[in-house]
Amino acid sequence: MLQSSCSLGRASVNTIVLESPKISRRHALIHLQNIGEFWLIDFGSSNGTFLNKRRIHQPVRLNDGDQITIGDQAFKFHQPVVISDEYKTILSNGLCMKSRTSPVGFSSRTFAISRR
C-alpha cells in the first residue's frame, strides 16, 4: 500500500522496483503535492517516461485513468475522486510503505497503479 510519493526504477532503494534493462536505476517519481495532487516526474532517464503515450520532459499532473509507461512496462493510474479527512491526515504525515518486488498490481486508499 502506498500513501505518499513513490520512486520507480531498477535500484533496490526505490519504492517500486522494476526489473528491466530499459529502466534506469532511479527512473521516475510519482510525487504527492498538497493533498491528493499527484505529479509524474522523470529523473532524466535515457529511455524516458511516457504519460498517455507522450514522453514527458517536465513534471506533469496525473489524473485518474492515465497510462504511465516506463521502459517496457505500462501502468494505469487510479485515484479516488473524494479523499476523506482520515486519508488527508495520513497524507499529511507522509506515510509510505516500500515494496521490494515488482508488483503485478497494487492499490491504496490514495492512489493505485496497475499493470496494463
Side-chain angles (χ1 to χ4, degrees):
M1 182 185 342
L2 298 168
Q3 298 177 336
S4 184
S5 299
C6 68
S7 58
L8 300 99
R10 281 193 343 255
S12 63
V13 298
N14 288 292
T15 310
I16 300 171
V17 177
L18 303 169
E19 305 212 9
S20 170
K22 296 181 180 180
I23 297 173
S24 300
R25 287 184 295 273
R26 291 192 68 236
H27 197 102
L29 177 74
I30 297 175
H31 176 69
L32 173 63
Q33 182 174 313
N34 301 319
I35 297 205
E37 190 177 297
F38 290 92
W39 293 76
L40 180 61
I41 303 165
D42 180 81
F43 287 141
S45 62
S46 299
N47 292 319
T49 299
F50 295 79
L51 180 63
N52 301 322
K53 300 184 180 182
R54 296 181 67 180
R55 188 172 184 158
I56 66 166
H57 299 283
Q58 57 191 21
V60 179
R61 186 167 179 189
L62 292 169
N63 296 298
D64 187 52
D66 280 344
Q67 180 179 324
I68 301 166
T69 305
I70 297 175
D72 54 1
Q73 300 188 37
F75 304 90
K76 190 167 187 179
F77 178 82
H78 299 281
Q79 182 178 19
V81 177
V82 177
I83 298 176
S84 73
D85 290 336
E86 177 188 357
Y87 301 143
K88 289 178 183 177
T89 302
I90 291 169
L91 291 172
S92 318
N93 293 332
L95 302 176
C96 182
M97 292 179 65
K98 294 183 68 129
S99 168
R100 290 286 178 202
T101 61
S102 180
V104 170
F106 63 92
S107 63
S108 76
R109 298 175 187 187
T110 54
F111 80 94
I113 61 176
S114 56
R115 290 191 191 263
R116 295 283 300 166

